[in-house]
Amino acid sequence: MTAGEKYSMRLLVLFSLISLFLTTAVYPQTPGRLTGRIVDTNNEPLIGANVLLMGTMMGAAADANGNYFILNIPPGTYNVRVSSIGYQTVTTQDVLISANQTTTLNVTLADETIEIDEITVVAERPLVDTRQTSSVAILGRDDITRLPVQELNEIVNLQAGVIDGHFRGGRIGEVQYQVDGVTINNPYDNSASMRLDRSILEEVQVVSGTFDAEFGHAMSGVVNAVLRTGSESRLDYGFESYFGEFISPGDTDLFPHIDNVRPGTIQNHQFNISGPLPLPRTTFLFNLRYYQNRNYFYGERRFVPTDSSDFERGIFTGTGEGSIVPMAPFEEWSLMGKITNRAIRNMQISYQAITNMVEQKFYNHAFRLNPDGMRTQNRFSIVHGVDFTHTLSNRVYYNFSLRQNYFDYADYVFEDVYDPRYLEAGPPKGDRNYELGAFVQGVDLGRFMQQTDSYIAKAALTAQLTNQHLIKLGGEFQTSFIKFGQPGVLVTTTIDGVETLIPRVDHPDFPGVQVFYPYSIAAYAQDRIEWLDLLIRVGLRFEFFDANATVPSDLQNPANSIEGAPQSYPRSTTTKATWAPRVGVSYPVTDRASIFFSYGHFYQMPGLGNMYSNSDYSVLEELQAGGITYGVLGNPDLKPEFTSQYEFGFKSELTPFLGLDVSLFYKDIRDLLGVEFVSTYAAAEYARLTNVDFGNVTGATISFVYRGFDFVNATLDYTFQMAEGNSSDPRETATRAAAGEDPRPRLVPLNWDQRHTLNATISLYKPNNYSITSIVQFGNGMPYTPTVGSGFGAQLESNSARKPTFVLVDLRAEKHLSIAGIDFNVFARIFNLFNERTVNGFIFADTGSPFYSLNPVGNAALLTDPSRFHQPRRVEIGISFNNFIRI
């Protein structure tokens, strides 16, 4: 067993023992808060009035001023009962409590001498939350259910300021994704390690502006997914199944073989059950999902990898049966489990687990006649852990979380580098005179694996010190086992005049799989101050990171290969520590409107895969000889990337039906990952990653929310932004230098700088009857670098042109039916209703269009590649069933 495997095994054993001890419940790590004031009809405070969340043991009593607050409330919808001796009892139904947010409920009680029954009212969800100090979008279960979306990332991309995964002009990988308040990011590339289906989501929060000190390891935003939980009073069960296909008649010239209708191209089957277990105050939730998408790329199995053609004479003989096969299939199994126990007074102990298993292929146009030669990507991920919450009093509680985030990714044709099928097939080959160079034999020799095993411990203490101060103190520790690289390579060499593949594992020229053990520590203090009408959120976050690696002590002689030069030795990377202040202010200008301002510093370590990749500087031992390309070397001694953000805005309920949210923002981005060129004592140069890139983003968002009569809901948001920087990719500078272009810094639009973006949704619905929802997305196109002619100097100014404007329309319709006493829903979804072809995808730089090029001969193969277009119209039809049994 290797050292890395022993390390991972020890942590796993420790984690499992703690899990077995604590596995009795599930409780969200991001509870909400209810507050308000209880008065009589003369607006006098009702001291001691009781406030109770019905169906729970949670409640509070009003103080001398009539104020009350209830902390540590799991997100969801509640009925709130308010009573006082001598006064009429009032029950408010459907009060929404959101994760990590404060809901205000003020109640007036009438004198009991007025002889009427207990009063019941239905809570009205505010159109906009005028108590927010930054831009936050919160979508509940009902909102998510009505939208024509399936995955969490689709929900996120509909929010103002978010464009194709980029939050307010930031790079990909600058967002922290959380499940119930704990990160699920893979530190290898700072992306979410888990795909989350909408069927398991209770609520989604998207913070695209500044965020509190509680959140770290992110520069552009936070996404918190709150999972559903079971009920103690009833057994809920249900399923959802749908089938779909890409329908684009007459487009076989763009998408070969799409004219054949295959109803099972897309299919999704999901089953869930939740309710009480035969233990005191114990509930569970189980969700199982299977998803398949064969996609809209098809190839012909005219050849198989082991075919052998006569290239000299131009004779190409295939032994494939000629079947039409999917070229980018995707298959996924997902499972989520929860157990909940609240039997111990004032304590909640929790366990939850979510897992994804994915098998897929990425389309490769060159393999369209030899599809079996393509690599297969397999991904397994699991996020599971325990949470413990202890309520010390109605003013103080603390919680503790322990999670394991495990991610395993493999990308190759055959698992074993010594598999004889590699040697039998050989490398892929084609002839440009036959089918525009399509491969007619061989397999893809690329091989890569990546494994991350992270353990996270997170704790927080929340205290309502006074009626004006809500304090939260917390800390987080994360240690990771990161393993990645080529699990063996296949080198083509000539032996006795015959081209032969030689497997290599851990060869000096091919270092293979690397293992690293970084860790990080964070601590924060956050205060929510409510003084008169003013709301202030102020916090400070400390972050510490240790890459736990080495770098050369002298970068001018990194491999000790220059005679007479000072010797270099492996030096431990320095630890990195940062302090990040955050502040937000909200002030009501009327009872339905407020202005807000926020400012913060945000730090994040670059994706560790970039830091560690190609970081063995001993490969430079022959650098002084020149003529050898080493690529861009990694740098485990990088600093955190940094963003400071300012935000100013206005929120208002313009009418009882119409809400407005306006935000202006500016981001100053420094110390981004980029490339520097280092000169050795022998006057040779090599490139390595360092913190040199920079940028800035200026923008504004305007959002309208409409909730009118006759069950009509609508939202409209517009985002204007200018995202500029010196490079869109960390390795862009080295790429420009290799191409003979000027590598010096300059300020240009970033690749994702979509200046104008518009999202609109409209829903017509009647509960337990029908719903129709449409989403319209407009964008003016991202930038690209145009060219004139070909060859050196053909490129014009970087990112000086724009891709075509696009409009996407998605539609969802659902109808509730009841047959023989069984209630169910039928639904249909259409994505890309009007078959839009160009949505910030591939374009020819000489025309700005994906449809034609000024060099049709040189681009002949590209002109037949269907992946240059946006996905065609997708139609899905399904049925869902949900029922319950009272216990």
Side-chain angles (χ1 to χ4, degrees):
M1 183 178 291
T2 66
E5 290 170 336
K6 291 179 180 177
Y7 166 87
S8 183
M9 182 62 69
R10 285 196 297 267
L11 285 178
L12 183 59
V13 170
L14 174 63
F15 187 86
S16 299
L17 290 173
I18 297 175
S19 297
L20 287 172
F21 178 72
L22 295 177
T23 302
T24 53
V26 164
Y27 189 76
Q29 179 67 9
T30 51
R33 174 174 176 259
L34 180 66
T35 186
R37 190 165 184 255
I38 312 300
V39 298
D40 61 16
T41 53
N42 296 319
N43 204 33
E44 293 295 324
L46 289 178
I47 303 172
N50 292 313
V51 183
L52 175 67
L53 271 63
M54 298 176 67
T56 76
M57 299 178 66
M58 308 183 77
D63 63 15
N65 296 312
N67 298 315
Y68 73 93
F69 51 83
I70 305 174
L71 306 179
N72 199 25
I73 306 174
T77 302
Y78 296 87
N79 295 337
V80 180
R81 189 172 186 266
V82 180
S83 62
S84 183
I85 297 174
Y87 291 87
Q88 192 70 41
T89 298
V90 173
T91 298
T92 306
Q93 297 180 339
D94 300 334
V95 177
L96 179 63
I97 304 296
S98 293
N100 214 30
Q101 303 294 321
T102 295
T103 299
T104 300
L105 177 65
N106 297 319
V107 177
T108 300
L109 300 185
D111 194 295
E112 199 172 35
T113 57
I114 304 174
E115 295 188 3
I116 57 176
D117 293 333
E118 178 177 323
I119 300 172
T120 301
V121 297
V122 178
E124 290 291 335
R125 182 180 174 185
L127 292 169
V128 293
D129 188 351
T130 58
R131 303 291 281 170
Q132 293 286 0
T133 59
S134 65
S135 296
V136 181
I138 301 176
L139 290 87
R141 184 194 301 194
D142 292 339
D143 301 319
I144 296 169
T145 300
R146 285 194 293 266
L147 290 173
V149 295
Q150 192 65 38
E151 304 286 345
L152 174 64
N153 66 306
E154 296 173 347
I155 299 170
V156 172
N157 279 329
L158 290 176
Q159 309 312 310
V162 182
I163 300 172
D164 198 22
H166 297 271
F167 278 52
R168 291 191 170 178
R171 287 178 173 177
I172 290 291
E174 294 184 357
V175 178
Q176 182 174 120
Y177 287 85
Q178 300 182 336
V179 169
D180 287 342
V182 182
T183 180
I184 60 169
N185 277 22
N186 181 356
Y188 173 80
D189 59 3
N190 290 332
S191 66
S193 62
M194 184 71 53
R195 284 165 48 92
L196 297 177
D197 182 70
R198 66 175 192 158
S199 62
I200 65 174
L201 300 176
E202 176 68 35
E203 181 178 275
V204 173
Q205 295 185 348
V206 181
V207 185
S208 56
T210 58
F211 41 90
D212 288 347
E214 177 182 356
F215 305 108
H217 306 297
M219 294 196 301
S220 291
V222 176
V223 175
N224 184 26
V226 180
L227 304 183
R228 297 183 181 183
T229 189
S231 168
E232 295 182 30
S233 60
R234 68 185 204 178
L235 181 71
D236 291 90
Y237 56 96
F239 71 87
E240 178 182 86
S241 291
Y242 64 79
F243 295 85
E245 168 65 309
F246 296 93
I247 299 178
S248 186
D251 278 349
T252 54
D253 55 330
L254 304 181
F255 307 106
H257 313 294
I258 200 174
D259 52 331
N260 296 326
V261 177
R262 307 169 181 88
T265 295
I266 301 169
Q267 53 181 297
N268 181 89
H269 310 288
Q270 174 261 323
F271 169 77
N272 64 83
I273 184 169
S274 64
L277 287 174
L279 293 171
R281 301 201 65 196
T282 303
T283 63
F284 77 98
L285 184 145
F286 176 80
N287 183 289
L288 177 66
R289 178 185 180 230
Y290 171 77
Y291 176 74
Q292 172 189 283
N293 185 347
R294 298 192 178 207
N295 242 303
Y296 52 95
F297 301 113
Y298 292 95
E300 177 188 349
R301 190 179 282 120
R302 191 182 304 177
F303 298 88
V304 297
T306 54
D307 284 339
S308 181
S309 295
D310 189 339
F311 289 92
E312 290 186 1
R313 294 190 295 170
I315 300 175
F316 306 97
T317 305
T319 61
E321 80 283 9
S323 59
I324 304 303
V325 296
M327 292 280 288
F330 181 96
E331 187 175 30
E332 176 187 25
W333 285 93
S334 298
L335 183 147
M336 184 193 75
K338 282 189 173 185
I339 303 173
T340 304
N341 180 287
R342 297 187 179 96
I344 304 175
R345 184 176 176 82
N346 296 330
M347 290 188 185
Q348 295 91 15
I349 307 172
S350 67
Y351 177 81
Q352 65 182 15
I354 316 171
T355 185
N356 280 166
M357 292 168 284
V358 173
E359 181 178 296
Q360 68 180 119
K361 291 186 177 183
F362 294 117
Y363 181 73
N364 188 330
H365 191 56
F367 280 97
R368 62 191 180 276
L369 302 181
N370 177 24
D372 298 323
M374 295 172 59
R375 288 179 288 171
T376 300
Q377 294 77 40
N378 285 281
R379 183 168 72 246
F380 172 79
S381 56
I382 181 170
V383 173
H384 72 120
V386 293
D387 301 302
F388 173 78
T389 301
H390 184 195
T391 302
L392 301 176
S393 71
N394 66 332
R395 287 180 173 266
V396 182
Y397 71 93
Y398 67 91
N399 47 46
F400 173 78
S401 295
L402 182 63
R403 299 283 176 87
Q404 180 191 23
N405 294 350
Y406 179 81
F407 181 86
D408 193 354
Y409 175 82
D411 181 5
Y412 35 62
V413 179
F414 306 116
E415 181 177 1
D416 188 354
V417 70
Y418 295 103
D419 194 308
R421 288 173 292 181
Y422 271 125
L423 305 182
E424 186 180 358
K429 292 183 179 180
D431 190 307
R432 65 178 182 179
N433 294 316
Y434 179 76
E435 294 287 353
L436 302 175
F439 293 144
V440 296
Q441 66 184 58
V443 297
D444 192 329
L445 301 182
R447 295 174 57 80
F448 181 77
M449 65 82 60
Q450 195 272 305
Q451 186 182 100
T452 299
D453 196 2
S454 294
Y455 293 83
I456 303 164
K458 185 174 182 179
L461 172 71
T462 303
Q464 187 81 49
L465 292 185
T466 70
N467 288 344
Q468 289 75 39
H469 291 271
L470 177 66
I471 300 291
K472 192 168 189 178
L473 307 175
E476 181 177 345
F477 173 79
Q478 178 171 338
T479 181
S480 299
F481 163 78
I482 296 179
K483 180 179 178 181
F484 69 94
Q486 295 177 299
V489 298
L490 294 136
V491 181
T492 303
T493 187
T494 302
I495 301 177
D496 297 330
V498 180
E499 193 176 76
T500 306
L501 284 179
I502 304 296
R504 299 285 192 189
V505 178
D506 294 329
H507 188 273
D509 294 332
F510 310 101
V513 175
Q514 306 172 70
V515 179
F516 299 92
Y517 305 90
Y519 68 91
S520 63
I521 301 172
Y524 65 88
Q526 182 75 39
D527 187 9
R528 177 188 172 101
I529 306 169
E530 298 182 67
W531 181 66
L532 299 177
D533 292 328
L534 189 67
L535 171 63
I536 303 173
R537 302 173 77 109
V538 59
L540 180 65
R541 184 178 181 89
F542 169 77
E543 292 182 351
F544 173 92
F545 175 80
D546 189 348
N548 201 13
T550 61
V551 292
S553 61
D554 190 339
L555 295 177
Q556 292 184 277
N557 187 22
N560 288 326
S561 58
I562 304 175
E563 291 186 8
Q567 291 294 291
S568 180
Y569 59 88
R571 174 182 61 81
S572 296
T573 52
T574 58
T575 57
K576 310 299 186 299
T578 61
W579 293 90
R582 320 270 173 86
V583 62
V585 179
S586 176
Y587 180 75
V589 292
T590 71
D591 60 339
R592 292 178 176 270
S594 67
I595 57 175
F596 68 90
F597 168 78
S598 59
Y599 170 74
H601 287 189
F602 307 93
Y603 292 91
Q604 182 181 27
M605 291 304 299
L608 302 188
N610 278 324
M611 292 175 56
Y612 293 132
S613 181
N614 196 24
S615 60
D616 181 2
Y617 286 67
S618 65
V619 300
L620 300 176
E621 60 184 355
E622 298 181 12
L623 178 65
Q624 71 274 17
I628 301 176
T629 301
Y630 298 94
V632 178
L633 272 72
N635 180 9
D637 209 18
L638 289 166
K639 299 187 300 184
E641 298 173 313
F642 170 71
T643 293
S644 62
Q645 183 173 179
Y646 305 79
E647 185 176 15
F648 175 79
F650 174 73
K651 301 173 184 284
S652 175
E653 290 190 11
L654 300 178
T655 73
F657 309 111
L658 184 64
L660 170 67
D661 190 336
V662 180
S663 176
L664 309 176
F665 61 88
Y666 175 76
K667 296 171 67 173
D668 184 21
I669 309 168
R670 302 296 175 92
D671 294 332
L672 286 176
L673 199 59
V675 169
E676 69 173 350
F677 296 94
V678 181
S679 295
T680 70
Y681 293 117
E685 277 193 345
Y686 64 93
R688 77 162 192 161
L689 293 173
T690 191
N691 300 92
V692 294
D693 281 0
F694 57 89
N696 64 77
V697 184
T698 304
T701 61
I702 303 175
S703 300
F704 292 93
V705 179
Y706 175 80
R707 287 199 206 114
F709 51 89
D710 294 335
F711 308 104
V712 178
N713 281 359
T715 65
L716 176 69
D717 66 70
Y718 165 74
T719 301
F720 168 79
Q721 71 176 26
M722 294 186 295
E724 298 179 324
N726 70 306
S727 68
S728 301
D729 180 85
R731 291 173 171 79
E732 185 177 318
T733 300
T735 302
R736 294 206 314 269
E741 301 173 19
D742 186 354
R744 291 176 295 181
R746 77 276 196 258
L747 199 64
V748 298
L750 298 174
N751 288 349
W752 51 88
D753 176 40
Q754 185 170 288
R755 293 287 167 89
H756 305 282
T757 305
L758 189 73
N759 295 320
T761 67
I762 182 169
S763 297
L764 308 175
Y765 70 98
K766 189 172 184 180
N768 299 318
N769 193 337
Y770 68 87
S771 70
I772 302 173
T773 303
S774 178
I775 296 176
V776 181
Q777 297 175 275
F778 164 85
N780 74 317
M782 295 179 183
Y784 74 96
T785 302
T787 61
V788 177
S790 59
F792 181 79
Q795 286 191 333
L796 300 180
E797 185 178 351
S798 297
N799 281 350
S800 57
R802 294 275 164 179
K803 295 180 180 181
T805 296
F806 66 88
V807 177
L808 279 175
V809 179
D810 299 334
L811 186 67
R812 184 183 191 278
E814 182 172 24
K815 175 62 178 174
H816 180 81
L817 299 173
S818 181
I819 299 177
I822 300 176
D823 295 330
F824 61 95
N825 297 302
V826 294
F827 62 89
R829 300 189 296 197
I830 305 177
F831 299 88
N832 194 7
L833 178 65
F834 298 110
N835 233 2
E836 176 67 56
R837 305 277 171 68
T838 57
V839 182
N840 285 323
F842 171 86
I843 52 94
F844 291 101
D846 56 2
T847 64
S849 168
F851 295 99
Y852 66 98
S853 167
L854 297 181
N855 182 18
V857 176
N859 291 319
L862 270 175
L863 286 166
T864 64
D865 188 344
S867 65
R868 68 191 195 276
F869 298 108
H870 187 68
Q871 71 170 16
R873 182 187 301 111
R874 186 170 99 232
V875 179
E876 297 170 351
I877 299 175
I879 183 172
S880 64
F881 168 85
N882 290 284
N883 207 343
F884 66 89
I885 300 173
R886 291 284 182 188
I887 303 298

